[in-house]
Amino acid sequence: MASMVCTDCVYSFVYEPKNALIIASAIAVALFCFIMLKWGKASQRTKIYLIYAHIFAIIFPFVYYAFNSTCAASSSFFFCKNAQQFIYIIILTLLSSITIGYLLTPKLLHLSKSKEVRHPFLSRFIENISKKYDIKKSSLHLVDSAKPFAFSISTIKAHIFISIGLAELLTRKEMESVLLHELGHIKNRTSFLKFSSLLHKAISPFSHFATLNKELGMEEKKADDFAVSAQGTGRFLKSAKRKVEVFEGAYLS
Amino acid sequence: MKKTKSKLFEKLSPLENGIITILWQCERMYVRDIYNKLKGKRKVALTSIAVNLDRLYKKGIVGRKVEASRGGFRYLYFPAKNQKEYEKDVIDGVVNKLIDRFGRTAVSYFNERFSK
């Protein structure tokens, strides 16, 4: 990109008082959002808003430059146009990949290593619990892996992924507790928080200093609580977790 | 020295050996069945059997297919090669390694050894 950007254009653009003020304001907003994320006592929802405001403030100077850059030197007009187009492409790619990424993640996972299945017991269990607790309808996906794991993604539709290794190791009651935990995530809409956290980590250079780990940990706890209250005991969830830990330990040894 | 291409010649752990021996005898088995057979002979956990079967699958020694069961899903494991074929492959791998390492010395040793 360096060869494509005409430095004269950038300098002349930034040195203009109005542009400098707008860019400085965007940086100030990004920093303010970062400070609020790091030290502020905001709710989870507010933190998600702050993340998107932070990301927008980081991207904004580039968008603004792409829309307003003018080139004084006619000889470098070609390079300016290229740089402008390059920035447009980056912004469009970024925005479209965020949207498509969020909407298509379940489909992409489905294409790569899992398949949607209907199991007489597991699928019916998911349907019954979804009806009982008014949770979005979820489809069950089977991942061809001996490692035991489960996760859920909720976009337009909700999807629960379980590995064959998990189904193999757990008893029926333990499997129910894991499905309840995932349904708890769908009920609490944790997916969007996870996606926002990943996006923040991918885009913001400050993300390592202000993470959403605490909020994500709380979401795990909430999903556990839902599973325990729906099942009436925490015994099965605990033993399922222990089996997964033992497997991971044995795999590493 | 040339590296062997296949992971088939990697040394098996005692548990992996125990599992593959049972699979050669019974041909097709689930993790739980192998666990039930082995737990009488040695102290072993179901998770260890699952881990070792996955390792054997990745080494190409066993194959597996997914089956639905009453409680969920499970793998049905089977030997990728019978015992004789596997042993032949191991011997082949060892001989190739020796020839790669010692060249003519190894070849003349085998000639002497087998002409007796």
Side-chain angles (χ1 to χ4, degrees):
Chain A
M1 190 192 160
S3 63
M4 291 171 81
V5 175
C6 153
T7 40
D8 285 346
C9 304
V10 177
Y11 283 139
S12 64
F13 178 79
V14 173
Y15 282 139
E16 215 172 283
K18 188 188 95 185
N19 295 339
L21 185 71
I22 289 170
I23 292 168
S25 306
I27 294 168
V29 169
L31 282 172
F32 171 76
C33 293
F34 166 73
I35 290 163
M36 287 301 287
L37 273 169
K38 174 86 177 153
W39 291 287
K41 296 220 181 295
S43 67
Q44 186 182 303
R45 183 174 283 196
T46 316
K47 280 197 174 181
I48 291 177
Y49 291 147
L50 283 168
I51 280 182
Y52 284 98
H54 178 71
I55 291 169
F56 179 75
I58 285 175
I59 297 172
F60 182 77
F62 299 100
V63 180
Y64 184 68
Y65 174 74
F67 279 99
N68 293 283
S69 66
T70 48
C71 195
S74 58
S75 60
S76 52
F77 177 78
F78 175 74
F79 291 106
C80 283
K81 277 283 166 208
N82 275 351
Q84 216 170 343
Q85 279 171 358
F86 191 75
I87 292 168
Y88 281 141
I89 289 166
I90 287 180
I91 294 160
L92 278 173
T93 313
L94 197 69
L95 290 176
S96 50
S97 51
I98 289 170
T99 318
I100 293 169
Y102 182 64
L103 294 175
L104 288 188
T105 310
K107 287 272 172 226
L108 293 172
L109 280 165
H110 175 77
L111 284 173
S112 63
K113 54 178 182 177
S114 70
K115 60 176 180 177
E116 191 173 342
V117 286
R118 239 205 104 69
H119 187 272
F121 161 67
L122 299 177
S123 303
R124 204 182 311 134
F125 179 78
I126 292 171
E127 279 166 19
N128 291 345
I129 295 293
S130 302
K131 262 185 207 162
K132 190 176 173 186
Y133 292 94
D134 195 23
I135 302 170
K136 202 192 268 185
K137 202 179 168 200
S138 318
S139 60
L140 181 67
H141 297 257
L142 194 64
V143 186
D144 188 1
S145 170
K147 286 185 184 170
F149 59 85
F151 60 94
S152 56
I153 297 170
S154 178
T155 52
I156 297 166
K157 209 181 148 197
H159 310 262
I160 295 175
F161 293 79
I162 56 161
S163 71
I164 297 165
L166 186 81
E168 212 160 36
L169 281 184
L170 304 188
T171 61
R172 189 183 273 213
K173 283 280 174 196
E174 287 166 346
M175 185 50 109
E176 280 180 11
S177 70
V178 171
L179 291 175
L180 283 166
H181 173 94
E182 294 311 324
L183 285 163
H185 278 310
I186 293 165
K187 189 176 190 295
N188 298 329
R189 295 185 176 86
T190 317
S191 240
F192 191 61
L193 178 72
K194 276 187 186 169
F195 180 80
S196 305
S197 168
L198 285 173
L199 192 66
H200 184 223
K201 278 180 188 163
I203 292 176
S204 170
F206 306 105
S207 62
H208 291 290
F209 306 105
T211 60
L212 284 177
N213 290 350
K214 197 179 139 198
E215 280 72 20
L216 288 170
M218 274 164 64
E219 283 302 317
E220 286 301 319
K221 173 88 178 48
K222 268 182 154 163
D224 279 356
D225 290 346
F226 173 76
V228 171
S229 73
Q231 208 170 22
T233 172
R235 192 155 60 95
F236 301 112
L237 187 64
K238 210 173 161 186
S239 64
K241 282 186 176 182
R242 200 173 51 237
K243 279 185 182 174
V244 172
E245 276 168 20
V246 170
F247 186 98
E248 279 165 2
Y251 218 96
L252 292 172
S253 67
Chain B
M1 193 176 90
K2 246 168 47 180
K3 277 185 181 171
T4 43
K5 283 175 193 168
S6 170
K7 283 185 172 179
L8 202 65
F9 312 118
E10 276 177 12
K11 207 174 141 191
L12 299 182
S13 71
L15 186 55
E16 286 173 342
N17 254 316
I19 292 170
I20 192 66
T21 308
I22 287 176
L23 270 175
W24 277 324
Q25 286 163 4
C26 303
E27 302 230 313
R28 283 163 184 270
M29 288 183 100
Y30 301 107
V31 178
R32 218 164 267 276
D33 298 335
I34 299 172
Y35 166 69
N36 288 334
K37 279 225 165 201
L38 270 174
K39 75 175 177 186
K41 294 178 189 170
R42 58 163 84 198
K43 202 181 164 193
V44 67
L46 180 72
T47 44
S48 305
I49 305 286
V51 167
N52 282 280
L53 272 166
D54 194 39
R55 282 187 186 142
L56 287 169
Y57 172 74
K58 282 177 181 160
K59 286 176 185 174
I61 298 170
V62 302
R64 69 188 179 195
K65 63 175 190 172
V66 185
E67 277 191 2
S69 63
R70 264 194 321 152
F73 298 90
R74 58 188 173 176
Y75 284 121
L76 179 66
Y77 284 95
F78 50 87
K81 289 182 176 184
N82 65 35
Q83 191 166 358
K84 280 225 165 115
E85 281 172 340
Y86 174 70
E87 283 169 358
K88 251 176 136 181
D89 279 341
V90 173
I91 293 166
D92 203 34
V94 172
V95 170
N96 283 340
K97 263 189 182 176
L98 288 171
I99 293 171
D100 284 346
R101 177 79 179 85
F102 300 107
R104 284 177 178 224
T105 316
V107 176
S108 61
Y109 172 81
F110 288 131
N111 278 335
E112 273 175 41
R113 184 81 163 76
F114 298 117
S115 62
K116 276 180 191 171

